[in-house]
Each structure stands twice: as C-alpha cells, then as structure tokens.
Amino acid sequence: MTTTEATTQEIDIDFAAVEEFAGKLVATMSGALTTCLIDIGRRTNLFELATQGPATSQELADRGGLQERYVREWLAAMATAGIFEYDAQTGRFWLPIEHAALLTGDTYDNLTALAYLIQTCTKQGEAVARCFTEGGGVPWSAFGPEMLDVMDVLWQPMVRDLAVQHYLPLAPGLVAALEQGIRVADVACGTGNLSSMLARRFPRSTFVGFDQDEGGIAVATDRNAEVPNLTYSVADAAALTTAEPFDAVIIFNAVHDQARPGDVLKAAHDVLRPGGWFLMNEPRISSVLADNLDTPETSIIYGISLLHCMTVSLAEGGAGLGTGWGEQVAVQLLGDAGFGPVEVHDAEGDPTNAIFVTHRLDVTQRPD
C-alpha cells in the first residue's frame, strides 16, 4: 500500500461539511458577480430610478433612457440576489426602502461606492497574480484616473458629513484652534477632498495639501483655485519638510498605502510644532489575524489590501504594510515616530475605520 493510499483511507471526510462549504462557496462567487452588477446600477443610476416606485423592466428603462433588455436581465439578478422585490403577477420590481437606504443618495451610507472600489481593484487581478511568482507590485499608475474618481466617490460624503461633526472633536481643542486660525497639513491628500472642505469651513486657518501623485494634485488645485487659504504641493510624504511648522497634521486613509510608512509618520511628526495635533483615519482591525476571524467584513479589508494597498507599496520597493496592518502596529509605529500617547476612537458612521489621535510631545513632556 502506498503512502498516498494509506493517507486517503485514514481521512474521514465529513460530506455534510463539504456540502455546507459548497453552498458557502457558491454564495461567495454569486456575491462577486452581484458586486459587479451593483456597480453597474450605480453607473447607470438604476437604484435612484427605482426609488420612484415599482416598475416593469420597460418602465424602469424608460425612466432612464436605457435599453430594456439589459435592464430586464439586471433586475432578474437583483431580484434573485434579494436586493429587489418582484411581483410575478404584475411583472413589477421595487427596491425596498430599507435597501434603498444603503444603495442610493449622496451620503456615506451609500455602499455602492464600495462596489466601485472593489470593481476598480479587481481589474488588476491578473497583474497581482503575476506578482506572486515575479515579486514586486502593481504601481498606482496602473489603476489610472479611475482610482482618483473612486476616492472622490468614497470620501467626499465622509469628509462633508463626518469629519468636522464627529472626527475633529476627538482631538480636544482642535476645532476651537481651527476657528481662531492655525496651519494644517493634509498629507497624502489625493484630490484634496478633506483639505478643501476644511479650508472652506475654517477660513481663518491655512491649509496645505501634499501628495506625490501629480494627477491628484492637479485636480485638487484646479478645483480649489478660488480658495485663498488653501494650496497644494507635489511632495513625497516620507520626505516632507517645512520652513514653518504646522499646528496640525491629518492623514486620512493613506498611511497603509505608503512605501515607507514609518518615514511618513516620522516626517509628519517632525513638521509639527511641539504640542501639535496629529489625526489619522485607518481601518479598524487587529494586527493579530486570529482576532479578525470572527469578523467577516475584515475579509474585504484584506482583499482590498492585496489587490491595491499592499501591492502599490511593494511596486515602489516599499514595506507592503497593507490595509490590514492593524491597531497594534499603528500605535507602535506612531510611538516609534516620536508621538505621545495615542487614543484610538471608533469612526462615527464608519464601523470599519478608526480615528487615531496623538500629539507631538512638548520638550517638557518628553521622557528622560
């Protein structure tokens, strides 16, 4: 008897478990297709059109000037996925109000933006697969201008509805200082959504946005040409310097992408005045994998990391920190950069993220 035969005979296969996993696997693959169709619904405005009331495929197509045959197939997929309801007698489909709350509207609750992000990342699946054997990574440029648009769709509602109202107050005294007038750096600013909103909200303060992506800085500069207290500059966040210290530095959803995250945090520390505020928005996840096994949504974080955040860092020969770097590693790197004690807060309205708040220690606060 061969070793293989003996091993096979010794294995007691639980066929019920096989069937259970088969169902889970099919549901996962079905969900992947549904994600693609949700993004199509976002692009074609079908979810918004559906809020006007129950409709046949022809009626819904007519509302948006769309092709009925495509709308019909899309609705069939939406109905079988449990997203739309369907009345076989009337042939009409409708979007329940509870579902519409997460699929429509210009708010951070609209999860179609996440489908857009997933679709954009998966387009580089073949290139990422090659990295498994060849090494390296897929550069940011490979994701093209579409990724800039994804960031706009994702973060514009967040900075508009959550940043000032919920996130900035987590740093005691910061909002009052912004009202009076301080210097603020928005590091890895992308197309400038956060700094643009803050500059308009706090006209007595001065804001500078930094990013190494020239395309993003060009968009940010063009959008905000008329805002007098806001400027943008192309700069490597890991080598950031300033002639005049900043009173606050903010980095939202960007440290985990960086080639040299430790250097980015050290640079952010060094351009702050002693006692200055530092705020960072990063995924709410443990650095210990075992802690995340019972939290299904973390699989999205690891997936986005593999398909985008980790690989763009590795493409620059970087650390490949990834989206799942976690709270413990984040706090450690902040301490290594020289920051003081770190407070980690839930991000209101965004259960997958956390707000990290700390300061550059004053000379009198530094340990011996």
Side-chain angles (χ1 to χ4, degrees), residues 33 37 84 110 139 350:
L33 287 169
L37 300 187
F84 273 67
N110 188 336
D350 183 3

mmCIF file of all heavy atoms in Angstrom, residues 33 37 84 110 139 350:
data_model
loop_
_atom_site.group_PDB
_atom_site.id
_atom_site.type_symbol
_atom_site.label_atom_id
_atom_site.label_comp_id
_atom_site.label_asym_id
_atom_site.label_seq_id
_atom_site.Cartn_x
_atom_site.Cartn_y
_atom_site.Cartn_z
ATOM 1 N N LEU A 33 -20.273 38.401 -8.424
ATOM 2 C CA LEU A 33 -21.000 38.874 -9.608
ATOM 3 C C LEU A 33 -21.986 39.972 -9.236
ATOM 4 O O LEU A 33 -22.145 40.965 -9.958
ATOM 5 C CB LEU A 33 -21.730 37.704 -10.266
ATOM 6 C CG LEU A 33 -20.847 36.703 -11.017
ATOM 7 C CD1 LEU A 33 -21.647 35.464 -11.388
ATOM 8 C CD2 LEU A 33 -20.258 37.344 -12.268
ATOM 9 N N LEU A 37 -22.639 43.910 -10.563
ATOM 10 C CA LEU A 37 -23.920 44.444 -11.017
ATOM 11 C C LEU A 37 -24.377 45.632 -10.171
ATOM 12 O O LEU A 37 -25.070 46.520 -10.671
ATOM 13 C CB LEU A 37 -24.976 43.334 -10.988
ATOM 14 C CG LEU A 37 -24.677 42.118 -11.875
ATOM 15 C CD1 LEU A 37 -25.869 41.171 -11.899
ATOM 16 C CD2 LEU A 37 -24.308 42.535 -13.283
ATOM 17 N N PHE A 84 -33.769 43.464 -4.933
ATOM 18 C CA PHE A 84 -35.076 43.970 -5.356
ATOM 19 C C PHE A 84 -36.147 42.938 -5.001
ATOM 20 O O PHE A 84 -35.863 41.742 -4.859
ATOM 21 C CB PHE A 84 -35.105 44.204 -6.874
ATOM 22 C CG PHE A 84 -34.616 45.545 -7.311
ATOM 23 C CD1 PHE A 84 -33.283 45.907 -7.162
ATOM 24 C CD2 PHE A 84 -35.491 46.466 -7.887
ATOM 25 C CE1 PHE A 84 -32.821 47.147 -7.579
ATOM 26 C CE2 PHE A 84 -35.040 47.711 -8.307
ATOM 27 C CZ PHE A 84 -33.703 48.055 -8.154
ATOM 28 N N ASN A 110 -24.255 55.179 1.486
ATOM 29 C CA ASN A 110 -24.429 54.571 0.166
ATOM 30 C C ASN A 110 -23.244 53.641 -0.122
ATOM 31 O O ASN A 110 -22.135 54.087 -0.424
ATOM 32 C CB ASN A 110 -24.527 55.663 -0.898
ATOM 33 C CG ASN A 110 -24.900 55.113 -2.264
ATOM 34 O OD1 ASN A 110 -24.674 53.940 -2.558
ATOM 35 N ND2 ASN A 110 -25.460 55.954 -3.106
ATOM 36 N N PRO A 139 1.915 49.193 -9.712
ATOM 37 C CA PRO A 139 2.019 50.603 -9.312
ATOM 38 C C PRO A 139 0.681 51.320 -9.324
ATOM 39 O O PRO A 139 -0.267 50.902 -9.996
ATOM 40 C CB PRO A 139 2.962 51.192 -10.366
ATOM 41 C CG PRO A 139 2.759 50.336 -11.566
ATOM 42 C CD PRO A 139 2.522 48.940 -11.033
ATOM 43 N N ASP A 350 -18.765 54.934 10.344
ATOM 44 C CA ASP A 350 -17.897 54.071 9.541
ATOM 45 C C ASP A 350 -17.299 52.993 10.438
ATOM 46 O O ASP A 350 -16.181 53.127 10.940
ATOM 47 C CB ASP A 350 -16.793 54.893 8.891
ATOM 48 C CG ASP A 350 -15.904 54.058 7.976
ATOM 49 O OD1 ASP A 350 -16.195 52.860 7.808
ATOM 50 O OD2 ASP A 350 -14.937 54.601 7.434
#
